[in-house]
Amino acid sequence: MKRESIERKRRSIGAFCQNPLAIIGLLIVLALALVAIFAPLIAPYDPQAIDTFHILEAPSLLHPCGTDSLGRDCLSRLIYGARISLLVGFVAVGIATVVGTFLGALAGFYGGIVDGLIMRFVDIMLCFPAIFLIMAVIAFLEPSIWNIMIVIGLTGWMGVARLVRAEFLSLRKRDFVLAAKISGASDFDILFSEILPNAIAPILVSATLGIGGAILTESALSFLGIGVQPPTPSWGNMLTEGKNNLEIAWWLSVFPGLAILITVLGYNLLGEGLRDFLDPRKD
Amino acid sequence: MDFFLWLLKRLLALVPTFFGITLISFFVMHLAPGEPMSIQADFNPKMTPEMRQRLRAQYGLDKPLYIQYGRWFNGLIHLDLGRSFSPDRRKVWDKIRERLPVTILINVLSMILILVVAIPLGVRAAVRQNSLFDQVTTVLVFIAYAAPAFWVALLLMLLFGIKLDLLPISGLHSLMGYDSMTTFQKVLDWSKHLVLPVFVSAIGGLAGFSRYTRSSMLEVLRQDYITTARAKGLSERKVIYRHALRNALLPLITILGLSVPGLIGGSVIFESIFAIPGVGQLMWSSVMARDYPVLMGNLVIVSVLTLLGNLLADIGYAAVDPRVRTGIQEGD
């Protein structure tokens, strides 16, 4: 039994390494993490430094991604923007995963009325186009980066809840759960120390895929002016600048979008790779 | 008869969901620090405590919460969503109603585009699994998933609107000389303005749908009845389009219903970029102006639209798949 599982693990690590797309995803994710962590060392300029002598300059050796309408270096702003995007992505997905796992676990484990109520709540939440709900909440709160993360998290847990519920439904009748029950474990222990570890793989996959989605949502909100507020550089609010100067400065529209594209692509590729790696049942 | 019983049940199930939607919307409205009208009041230097109290009474904010909800709900089912905070003080429902057709038109057009393009792509990718075509579409799908729609919109505006000067990049129709156009010219003018918005709002759906079609087709092509159809000597074309595709499309109906909120949500983005006077733009401007009645009205109307979209998808599914309405599952 044990050897079999080691064998399977080795095979799936092999599969992960042979999946070039997953490797690309992993490399992108690692590279971005390094960029975000070491931003002050990598960035050639201060991202907030205004330079009125070099306004809206096209990309050159001095400014590889050009400068914006205040003469700020775009490359440096992109590098610092990575911090914002990753922070929002991780915290928002963290919140969504915790809420979704908790509610999904309760629904799947207890069934009956609890399940009915929670799943009806999920259905109702899914009726709101997420961005409308987020915008409505943001209008009442300050559009600060913390509020954005919380709101994106609290409107994005439904998928995880469904997933965890399904896992718990299929696991709750297993022998090890029965054994834990007989030995007098509390419901809390059974839910979170016995069953949950068996459901970690799909949760991890969905969280990885969720990060890309959260980054996209943040950038859209910032682009619309109700997300991360300038002068803090975020890829979304840099694109607002791009839109305002579309006819004279293409570089302001091209590079921040590319940064978002590459980041989201990285997390999505990694997530798909992880799915094959951790969960060979599904293709 | 089965079908009508099923439909009745399905319609009844809408009632609690609708209540839930209104409850959550109402809850969001009361998230405001202070009260929905506090911002209006805070910006007015002449506001005295007495006036504030009068304003509270005027909006019914001095009543207990459940009475406020009752009043709001009662207004809602009579399509009375209150009046806008903006200087025109117009009825919220009127503001939304005049903008709904444009948003629905663009969403329906992009849904048609999605179906017409994504299904053949997905079928081809499935039939030639692992071919070059399959691999190229897979890569494109990944890119389309990861690209922010508003960025693609900017790039298309840059390319087609500014560099090539082929397509207009804002509004629904030309401003100059529109009134003197013939009907045909007007239609042409509208179409030109709609090309980019419809395409942009369809990108995500195109990627998703071609992917779902592909995996659904792969699933069906493994079934015994496909082997049977082939063994009977039917042409490959007939096997794929007659036998396989029809069954592969079934689960896609549900996914189409589920994609409604995403499509409508996208309206906020492309309507603000392309300056299209639809519900999304109204939402955006009411967030910017903190026009709470319009905001909440929008939230409720849009989620009810989603509810209806899901209902239509379910009806479509039940109409083609008798297992749904009879409640008989495989293996029963």
Side-chain angles (χ1 to χ4, degrees), chain B residues 19-72:
Chain B
F19 263 109
I21 288 175
T22 62
L23 268 175
I24 291 179
S25 302
F26 188 74
F27 170 74
V28 168
M29 189 160 31
H30 284 263
L31 270 179
E35 288 155 349
M37 34 77 58
S38 74
I39 290 193
Q40 215 189 4
D42 290 347
F43 285 139
N44 189 345
K46 288 186 203 147
M47 191 62 78
T48 61
E50 294 77 42
M51 281 170 73
R52 196 180 276 266
Q53 199 52 43
R54 220 175 35 238
L55 208 58
R56 276 174 62 96
Q58 187 193 330
Y59 284 106
L61 294 167
D62 50 348
K63 300 276 185 316
L65 218 53
Y66 65 91
I67 293 187
Q68 289 186 38
Y69 173 74
R71 279 189 175 181
W72 181 72

Side-chain angles (χ1 to χ4, degrees), chain A residues 58-131:
Chain A
S60 63
L61 280 177
L62 268 176
H63 297 283
C65 296
T67 64
D68 66 10
S69 60
L70 295 173
R72 297 175 296 195
D73 178 55
C74 282
L75 181 61
S76 306
R77 291 181 72 71
L78 285 176
I79 290 171
Y80 273 86
R83 290 185 153 188
I84 301 290
S85 290
L86 294 189
L87 185 67
V88 173
F90 273 87
V91 176
V93 168
I95 293 172
T97 307
V98 169
V99 174
T101 303
F102 184 72
L103 291 178
L106 291 185
F109 186 71
Y110 290 110
I113 292 182
V114 179
D115 183 31
L117 281 178
I118 292 178
M119 284 301 120
R120 182 44 58 83
F121 185 41
V122 167
D123 287 343
I124 292 168
M125 286 296 285
L126 285 172
C127 278
F128 291 101
I131 194 139

Side-chain angles (χ1 to χ4, degrees), chain A residues 50-55 70-71:
Chain A
I50 294 170
D51 181 355
T52 44
F53 293 107
H54 300 93
I55 283 172
L70 295 173

Side-chain angles (χ1 to χ4, degrees), chain A residues 3-272:
Chain A
R3 183 182 296 163
E4 205 172 84
S5 80
I6 292 172
E7 177 62 24
R8 207 177 62 200
K9 199 164 263 177
R10 186 179 299 149
R11 230 185 305 141
S12 48
I13 291 177
F16 188 81
C17 293
Q18 276 165 16
N19 181 349
L21 290 178
I23 294 294
I24 293 173
L26 184 65
L27 290 179
I28 293 175
V29 167
L30 289 178
L32 274 163
L34 291 178
V35 167
I37 293 168
F38 296 108
L41 299 177
I42 304 169
Y45 298 86
D46 175 354
Q48 318 273 25
I50 294 170
D51 181 355
T52 44
F53 293 107
H54 300 93
I55 283 172
L56 292 176
E57 272 182 13
S60 63
L61 280 177
L62 268 176
H63 297 283
C65 296
T67 64
D68 66 10
S69 60
L70 295 173
R72 297 175 296 195
D73 178 55
C74 282
L75 181 61
S76 306
R77 291 181 72 71
L78 285 176
I79 290 171
Y80 273 86
R83 290 185 153 188
I84 301 290
S85 290
L86 294 189
L87 185 67
V88 173
F90 273 87
V91 176
V93 168
I95 293 172
T97 307
V98 169
V99 174
T101 303
F102 184 72
L103 291 178
L106 291 185
F109 186 71
Y110 290 110
I113 292 182
V114 179
D115 183 31
L117 281 178
I118 292 178
M119 284 301 120
R120 182 44 58 83
F121 185 41
V122 167
D123 287 343
I124 292 168
M125 286 296 285
L126 285 172
C127 278
F128 291 101
I131 194 139
F132 274 74
L133 197 55
I134 293 171
M135 286 173 81
V137 177
I138 292 293
F140 290 106
L141 306 171
E142 288 289 298
S144 77
I145 179 168
W146 296 103
N147 285 338
I148 300 281
M149 292 190 286
I150 294 169
V151 176
I152 295 178
L154 290 183
T155 51
W157 52 269
M158 293 81 80
V160 188
R162 283 191 161 171
L163 187 98
V164 171
R165 171 182 177 268
E167 290 290 322
F168 272 60
L169 266 181
S170 72
L171 289 169
R172 67 171 177 174
K173 292 277 163 63
R174 295 282 185 82
D175 289 343
F176 70 91
V177 178
L178 195 64
K181 253 183 204 163
I182 292 169
S183 63
S186 69
D187 277 8
F188 187 87
D189 272 348
I190 295 175
L191 273 170
F192 298 107
S193 349
E194 297 292 332
I195 307 185
L196 187 59
N198 294 285
I200 284 295
I203 296 175
L204 193 65
V205 170
S206 109
T208 312
L209 292 170
I211 288 176
I215 290 176
L216 280 176
T217 308
E218 179 273 319
S219 67
L221 291 173
S222 299
F223 175 72
L224 290 171
I226 48 181
V228 177
Q229 299 295 310
T232 306
S234 108
W235 295 336
N237 69 31
M238 291 177 73
L239 280 168
T240 315
E241 176 99 343
K243 186 196 168 205
N244 295 339
N245 297 294
L246 193 60
E247 299 187 22
I248 44 177
W250 56 268
W251 55 93
L252 293 178
S253 292
V254 171
F255 295 118
L258 264 182
I260 301 172
L261 172 70
I262 291 170
T263 308
V264 178
L265 194 61
Y267 278 97
N268 287 354
L269 290 175
L270 180 65
E272 297 282 334

Side-chain angles (χ1 to χ4, degrees), chain B residues 211-228:
Chain B
R211 210 66 202 149
Y212 287 125
T213 310
R214 177 180 179 274
S215 57
S216 182
M217 260 316 256
L218 285 176
E219 186 74 38
V220 168
L221 285 174
R222 279 201 286 266
Q223 303 292 321
D224 290 341
Y225 57 81
I226 296 298
T227 317
T228 312

Side-chain angles (χ1 to χ4, degrees), chain B residues 22-249:
Chain B
T22 62
L23 268 175
I24 291 179
S25 302
F26 188 74
F27 170 74
V28 168
M29 189 160 31
H30 284 263
L31 270 179
E35 288 155 349
M37 34 77 58
S38 74
I39 290 193
Q40 215 189 4
D42 290 347
F43 285 139
N44 189 345
K46 288 186 203 147
M47 191 62 78
T48 61
E50 294 77 42
M51 281 170 73
R52 196 180 276 266
Q53 199 52 43
R54 220 175 35 238
L55 208 58
R56 276 174 62 96
Q58 187 193 330
Y59 284 106
L61 294 167
D62 50 348
K63 300 276 185 316
L65 218 53
Y66 65 91
I67 293 187
Q68 289 186 38
Y69 173 74
R71 279 189 175 181
W72 181 72
F73 186 82
N74 187 42
L76 182 69
I77 51 178
H78 294 101
L79 286 176
D80 175 11
L81 298 163
R83 284 178 186 275
S84 164
F85 277 177
S86 67
D88 60 14
R89 308 281 300 147
R90 289 182 60 208
K91 280 189 175 166
V92 172
W93 172 241
D94 288 343
K95 280 196 158 184
I96 294 175
R97 194 178 47 184
E98 67 194 17
R99 282 162 180 266
L100 266 179
V102 175
T103 303
I104 293 176
L105 171 73
I106 293 180
N107 280 314
V108 168
L109 285 177
S110 73
M111 213 173 246
I112 293 171
L113 180 69
I114 290 169
L115 292 177
V116 168
V117 176
I119 290 176
L121 277 183
V123 169
R124 207 178 142 104
V127 171
R128 305 186 182 184
Q129 195 186 3
N130 298 328
S131 68
L132 183 67
F133 179 84
D134 186 24
Q135 284 168 354
V136 170
T137 47
T138 302
V139 171
L140 286 180
V141 162
F142 266 108
I143 291 176
Y145 264 139
F150 59 94
W151 177 60
V152 177
L154 285 183
L155 294 185
L156 293 174
M157 283 162 93
L158 197 60
L159 181 65
F160 292 103
I162 293 167
K163 297 274 185 261
L164 300 176
D165 202 16
L166 279 175
L167 293 168
I169 57 175
S170 83
L172 274 176
H173 57 74
S174 306
L175 295 175
M176 306 261 270
Y178 179 73
D179 292 328
S180 58
M181 286 181 189
T182 62
T183 311
F184 176 73
Q185 282 172 322
K186 278 183 181 171
V187 170
L188 196 70
D189 189 57
W190 270 68
S191 319
K192 268 178 146 180
H193 280 81
L194 285 178
V195 171
L196 291 182
V198 168
F199 179 71
V200 168
S201 71
I203 294 173
L206 280 175
F209 237 71
S210 63
R211 210 66 202 149
Y212 287 125
T213 310
R214 177 180 179 274
S215 57
S216 182
M217 260 316 256
L218 285 176
E219 186 74 38
V220 168
L221 285 174
R222 279 201 286 266
Q223 303 292 321
D224 290 341
Y225 57 81
I226 296 298
T227 317
T228 312
R230 286 206 173 112
K232 281 197 303 190
L234 290 180
S235 70
E236 192 61 20
R237 214 187 149 72
K238 241 183 186 160
V239 171
I240 286 165
Y241 287 98
R242 273 278 175 76
H243 294 247
L245 184 59
R246 284 172 108 177
N247 289 294
L249 287 182

